[in-house]
C-alpha cells in the first residue's frame, strides 16, 4: 500500500494559519439532562460501579487539584473550574440554561441526555423493539449502537482543543486510550447482559470493540488534527496518533481482508497523505467517510467471523482497572 508508506514518511509543510473553529463537544443538550439519581433508582449496580470510577470522583476533587488550577490559570479562567470555563464540557455533567455542574461524567454523558427518552425507556408495556426505535430517535445512546456509544469516549478522550494542550499544558489525547481495554475494566457495568453479574465481554464482542477502537482513534485524530493551526505539541501528537491508528488498522486489514470497510478506511487517507496544516476540509472529509464505514462495519459484523484478529487483541490483564461485581 504505497499511500500508507507516504503517510508514514510525511512531514509538516506549508504551514497556513487559520482561526480555530468554535469547539463543540458533541451535542449534549444541558436542558435535557435529568441527573444521575433518576437512573440510579432502577440501576443500582451500574450506579455502584460508576461511583468507583474517576468519572464520578472528578466532581469532588478536580477543581481542587493544583494541576487543574494551573491549567485553568494558563487558560485565563478565573475562579472555580466547576463554575466557569470550558473544562465543564469534559469533566462534568451540566444541567439547564446556566449549565450548572451537577455531577462528574455520568450516565447521560455516555448514554445521552434523557429528558426526551426516559418515559419511553421506562415504559415496560411497550414492545421492546418499538421502544428501542423511539428512544434511538430522540437521542438515547444504547450499547447496541456500539459506534455511537464508543464515539462518545473519543470526543472527550482525544482532547480536541489545541489551545488547551499548547497553552494550558493539558494532557493530550489521553496517552494510551484504547476502547477495548478502557471500557472493560473499572468502567464496565454489563449487569443486564450478565443477569445480575458484571459480564466480561465475549470473544466476539472484544473483536468488534478492538476494530472499532482503532477506527475511532483514526477518525478522531483526523478530526483533532483538522483543527490544528500551529506546529506544536498538539498537532504533532495528533499526527502521531493518527499514524499509529493507521498502522493498527492496516494490520487489521491484512488479518481480515474480507472486511472491505477497513481497506476503504485506509483508502480515504490518500487525500491527506501530506499531513499538513491548513487543510481542514480534507481531514474532516476523511474522518466523515471513516465514520460511515465504521457504522457499516458494526451493522455487518458481530465478531463471529473475525477470529483472525485474536492474536492481536489485548488480554484482560491489560484492562484499565478492575471490573466490579463479575
Ligand atoms: C423505571 C426504571 C428505569 C429507570 C428510571 C431507568 N432505567 Fe435504564 N433500564 C431499565 C430496565 C428495566 C432496563 C432493561 C432493558 C430494557 O428492558 O430495556 C434498562 C436498560 C438500560 C440500558 C440498556 C439498554 C439496552 O438496550 O441495552 C441503558 C443504557 C439504560 N437503561 C440507561 C439508563 C439511564 C442512563 C437512565 C437514567 C437517565 C435509566 N436507564 C433509567 C429501567 C430503568
Ligand atoms: C475535550 C475534553 C476536555 C476538556 C475540555 C478538558 N479536559 Fe481535562 N481531561 C480530559 C481527559 C479525557 C482527561 C484524562 C486524561 C487521562 O487520564 O488519560 C483529563 C485530565 C485532566 C487532568 C488530570 C491530568 C493531569 O495532568 O494531572 C486535569 C488536572 C485536567 N484534566 C484539568 C482540566 C482543566 C482545568 C480544564 C479546563 C481548562 C480541562 N481539564 C478541560 C478531558 C478534557
Ligand atoms: C464527557 C467526557 C468523557 C466521556 C464521554 C468519557 N470519558 Fe473517560 N474520562 C474523562 C475524564 C475527564 C477522565 C479523567 C478524570 C480525572 O482524572 O479526574 C476520564 C477517565 C477515564 C478513565 C480512568 C483513567 C485512569 O487513568 O484511571 C477510564 C478508564 C475512562 N475514562 C474510560 C472511558 C470510556 C471507555 C469512555 C466511553 C465509553 C469514556 N471514558 C467516556 C472524560 C470522559
Ligand atoms: C463512560 C461512559 C459511560 C458511563 C458514565 C455510563 N455508561 Fe452505561 N454503558 C457504557 C458503555 C460503553 C456500555 C456498553 C459496554 C459494552 O458493550 O461492553 C454501557 C452499557 C450500559 C448498560 C447495558 C449493560 C448490559 O448489560 O447490556 C446499561 C444498563 C447502562 N450502561 C446504564 C448506565 C447507567 C445507569 C449509568 C450511570 C449510573 C451508566 N450506564 C454510565 C458507557 C457508560
Amino acid at each position: 500500500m504505497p499511500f500508507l508508506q507516504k503517510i508514514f514518511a510525511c512531514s509538516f509543510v506549508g504551514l497556513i494559519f487559520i482561526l480555530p473553529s468554535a469547539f463543540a463537544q458533541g451535542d449534549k443538550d444541558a436542558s435535557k439532562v435529568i441527573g444521575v439519581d433518576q437512573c440510579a433508582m432502577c440501576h443500582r449496580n451500574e450506579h455502584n460501579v460508576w461511583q468507583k470510577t474517576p468519572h464520578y470522583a472528578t466532581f469532588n476533587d478536580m477543581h481542587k487539584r493544583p494541576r487543574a488550577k494551573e491549567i485553568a490559570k494558563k487558560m485565563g479562567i478565573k475562579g472555580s473550574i466547576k463554575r466557569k470555563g470550558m473544562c465543564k464540557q469534559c469533566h462534568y455533567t451540566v444541567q439547564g440554561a446556566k449549565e450548572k455542574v451537577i455531577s462528574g461524567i455520568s450516565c447521560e454523558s455516555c448514554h445521552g441526555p434523557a429528558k426526551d427518552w426516559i418515559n419511553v425507556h421506562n415504559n415496560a408495556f411497550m414492545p421492546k423493539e418499538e421502544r428501542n426505535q423511539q428512544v434511538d430517535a430522540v437521542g438515547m445512546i444504547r450499547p447496541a449502537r456500539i459506534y455511537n456509544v464508543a464515539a462518545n469516549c473519543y470526543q472527550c478522550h482525544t482532547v480536541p482543543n489545541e489551545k488547551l494542550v499548547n497553552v494550558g499544558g493539558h494532557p493530550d489525547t489521553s496517552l494510551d486510550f484504547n476502547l477495548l481495554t478502557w471500557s472493560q475494566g473499572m468502567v464496565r457495568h454489563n449487569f443486564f447482559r450478565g443477569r445480575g453479574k458484571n459480564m466480561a465481554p465475549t470473544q466476539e464482542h472484544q473483536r468488534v470493540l478492538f476494530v472499532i477502537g482503532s477506527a475511532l482513534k483514526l477518525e478522531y485524530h483526523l478530526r483533532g488534527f483538522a483543527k490544528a493551526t500551529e506546529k506544536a505539541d498538539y498537532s504533532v501528537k495528533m499526527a502521531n496518533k493518527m499514524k499509529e491508528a493507521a498502522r493498527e488498522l492496516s494490520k487489521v486489514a491484512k488479518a481480515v481482508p474480507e472486511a472491505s470497510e477497513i481497506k476503504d478506511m485506509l483508502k480515504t487517507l490518500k487525500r491527506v497523505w501530506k499531513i499538513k496544516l491548513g487543510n481542514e476540509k480534507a481531514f474532516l472529509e476523511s474522518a466523515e467517510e471513516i465514520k460511515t464505514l465504521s457504522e457499516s462495519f458494526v451493522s455487518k459484523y458481530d465478531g463471529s467471523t473475525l477470529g483472525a484478529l485474536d492474536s492481536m487483541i489485548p488480554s484482560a490483564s491489560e484492562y484499565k482497572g478492575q471490573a466490579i461485581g463479575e
Side-chain angles (χ1 to χ4, degrees):
M1 270 178 248
F3 64 90
L4 267 184
Q5 280 152 23
K6 280 183 192 164
I7 289 166
F8 302 147
C10 68
S11 59
F12 285 87
V13 284
L15 295 182
I16 297 165
F17 290 91
I18 49 166
L19 285 174
S21 324
F23 175 77
Q25 171 51 50
D27 44 10
K28 311 258 160 59
D29 185 343
S31 71
K32 295 189 175 161
V33 166
I34 62 173
V36 60
D37 294 348
Q38 304 287 319
C39 315
M41 49 184 184
C42 296
H43 291 288
R44 291 235 345 253
N45 286 328
E46 292 82 351
H47 189 252
N48 284 345
V49 164
W50 172 68
Q51 283 189 312
K52 296 188 177 69
T53 64
H55 288 149
Y56 167 82
T58 190
F59 180 71
N60 295 320
D61 74 1
M62 180 51 77
H63 61 293
K64 295 180 202 151
R65 288 195 221 170
R67 185 90 177 90
K69 289 182 182 162
E70 194 186 310
I71 296 170
K73 197 170 163 204
K74 287 188 187 149
M75 294 299 286
I77 297 165
K78 296 195 180 81
S80 170
I81 64 162
K82 248 179 167 170
R83 264 175 258 119
K84 286 202 185 133
M86 39 86 77
C87 323
K88 293 201 287 191
Q89 321 164 59
C90 295
H91 283 279
Y92 304 106
T93 302
V94 296
Q95 186 178 45
K98 290 198 174 143
E99 308 213 319
K100 185 176 187 296
V101 167
I102 56 166
S103 67
I105 297 133
S106 65
C107 320
E108 291 173 279
S109 311
C110 292
H111 296 295
K115 192 172 171 225
D116 292 345
W117 56 258
I118 189 70
N119 289 332
V120 183
H121 177 67
N122 286 348
N123 185 350
F125 298 106
M126 190 186 281
K128 183 145 179 144
E129 213 144 278
E130 197 183 331
R131 199 158 19 113
N132 287 348
Q133 258 175 19
Q134 288 201 17
V135 295
D136 287 358
V138 289
M140 180 173 185
I141 307 175
R142 287 184 306 112
R145 295 165 69 201
I146 192 164
Y147 169 84
N148 306 66
V149 83
N152 238 329
C153 319
Y154 287 83
Q155 283 173 19
C156 290
H157 278 277
T158 48
V159 192
N161 186 312
E162 186 173 36
K163 189 178 168 200
L164 187 58
V165 174
N166 289 350
V167 178
H170 189 282
D172 67 284
T173 147
S174 270
L175 317 165
D176 60 343
F177 185 85
N178 172 298
L179 178 62
L180 173 63
T181 59
W182 284 51
S183 67
Q184 300 303 322
M186 62 170 107
V187 168
R188 192 211 307 156
H189 45 275
N190 289 340
F191 294 94
F192 176 48
R193 252 167 266 193
R195 298 173 191 278
K197 286 216 179 345
N198 193 356
M199 193 177 131
T202 61
Q203 196 64 27
E204 289 78 11
H205 191 46
Q206 288 178 48
R207 293 169 190 156
V208 176
L209 290 174
F210 178 72
V211 175
I212 283 305
S214 293
L216 277 164
K217 180 167 159 185
L218 181 57
E219 180 193 329
Y220 275 86
H221 287 94
L222 283 161
R223 290 187 192 284
F225 185 84
K227 302 282 176 201
T229 64
E230 55 175 357
K231 184 178 174 183
D233 213 23
Y234 174 84
S235 57
V236 171
K237 283 175 173 160
M238 283 284 166
N240 285 339
K241 287 274 172 165
M242 206 154 82
K243 287 187 254 177
E244 197 179 288
R247 271 186 228 115
E248 282 171 25
L249 274 182
S250 59
K251 284 190 199 147
V252 171
K254 260 202 198 116
V256 287
E258 67 280 14
S260 61
E261 286 84 359
I262 310 299
K263 267 186 251 157
D264 291 343
M265 286 178 195
L266 292 165
K267 279 188 201 149
T268 73
L269 299 178
K270 264 183 193 158
R271 154 182 323 121
V272 296
W273 70 265
K274 254 192 217 153
I275 302 188
K276 64 171 185 179
L277 298 173
N279 202 12
E280 181 172 353
K281 193 165 161 271
F283 283 87
L284 290 181
E285 274 168 9
S286 179
E288 280 302 317
E289 278 180 34
I290 292 170
K291 175 183 176 185
T292 308
L293 289 161
S294 291
E295 286 172 331
S296 154
F297 180 87
V298 293
S299 67
K300 262 200 221 161
Y301 294 89
D302 63 3
S304 56
T305 58
L306 304 174
L309 296 174
D310 286 353
S311 64
M312 291 179 218
I313 291 177
S315 69
S317 64
E318 292 171 64
Y319 291 172
K320 193 88 174 165
Q322 182 65 46
I324 299 159
E326 279 183 281

